Amino acid sequence: MSHPQSYEILLVPGFAEDTTDAPESGGAIRSAVVAATGETGASGYPRYVGEGIVADIDPATRSVEALLVDGAELSYGLSARVKERDTTTGADS
């Protein structure tokens, strides 16, 4: 199975609820582009790293299964959203 090579992780205030709406980077307090490492994280999902963020992401559901921000777990009151990147242009999709 082929996995996306990069995602944009958006850290947003509040707890994420299941939604089909695309995340908006305007509401994020921090964002980072993470790239596939080729490794599998402890969660069993592909690992992505970049800009101080390490994330295990389930490519089937685009769910963040494990996350470190600057070496620490995500603070309470924040949620992580995933935005897939267009690898041909580098733009968000």
Side-chain angles (χ1 to χ4, degrees), residues 46-71:
R47 172 140 308 158
Y48 293 80
V49 175
E51 300 180 46
I53 293 182
V54 177
D56 296 356
I57 300 173
D58 178 350
T61 64
R62 293 177 22 172
S63 297
V64 177
E65 299 297 335
L67 180 73
L68 292 176
V69 178
D70 298 328

Side-chain angles (χ1 to χ4, degrees), residues 8-93:
E8 182 176 13
I9 301 288
L10 305 170
L11 301 181
V12 296
F15 293 100
E17 295 184 21
D18 290 337
T19 179
T20 57
D21 297 334
E24 296 295 328
S25 48
I29 60 170
R30 181 170 173 181
S31 67
V33 174
V34 294
T37 65
E39 300 174 355
T40 300
S43 67
Y45 293 98
R47 172 140 308 158
Y48 293 80
V49 175
E51 300 180 46
I53 293 182
V54 177
D56 296 356
I57 300 173
D58 178 350
T61 64
R62 293 177 22 172
S63 297
V64 177
E65 299 297 335
L67 180 73
L68 292 176
V69 178
D70 298 328
E73 292 183 7
L74 190 62
S75 298
Y76 287 109
L78 295 178
S79 295
R81 303 281 176 113
V82 175
K83 197 173 195 180
E84 194 167 333
R85 308 229 346 129
D86 181 342
T87 57
T88 58
T89 66
D92 301 327
S93 59

